[in-house]
């Protein structure tokens, strides 16, 4: 019912929205704010798509972006 959110999905969202690779960090208040105010609305823009498939796609894209950033 609710989208999965982690460092990889955050990285993917941020890249799609802003064109930059940004890390999520460890601040729990920041993470919750980003999830509630940015990620959930972003996730639900994928209307008509299976939620779990969107989760998997964003996770995979976020991992790819990390690889590019780390080995770039």
């Amino acid at each position: 019912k609710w989208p999965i959110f982690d460092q990889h999905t955050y990285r993917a969202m941020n890249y799609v929205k802003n064109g930059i690779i940004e890390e999520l960090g460890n601040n729990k208040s920041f993470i919750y704010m980003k999830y509630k105010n940015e990620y959930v609305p972003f996730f639900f823009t994928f209307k008509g798509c299976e939620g779990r498939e969107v989760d998997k796609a964003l996770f995979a894209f976020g991992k790819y972006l990390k690889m590019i950033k780390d080995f770039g």
Side-chain angles (χ1 to χ4, degrees):
K1 188 170 185 172
W2 292 100
I4 295 171
F5 183 65
D6 68 0
Q7 62 185 344
H8 302 301
T9 56
Y10 174 76
R11 194 180 300 114
M13 175 196 70
N14 217 355
Y15 190 81
V16 169
K17 288 176 67 177
N18 305 315
I20 58 171
I21 301 172
E22 184 177 285
E23 300 303 318
L24 184 56
N26 297 11
N27 183 302
K28 291 186 189 319
S29 297
F30 177 81
I31 292 169
Y32 177 70
M33 181 196 69
K34 289 293 184 178
Y35 179 75
K36 183 177 126 187
N37 296 334
E38 289 186 46
Y39 189 71
V40 170
F42 170 78
F43 183 86
F44 287 115
T45 64
F46 295 94
K47 298 174 188 164
C49 298
E50 178 65 38
R52 181 64 181 131
E53 295 303 313
V54 175
D55 280 333
K56 291 192 292 188
L58 291 171
F59 181 84
F61 184 52
K63 282 182 70 175
Y64 173 75
L65 292 173
K66 179 161 177 49
M67 182 184 68
I68 288 173
K69 182 180 174 192
D70 290 348
F71 299 110

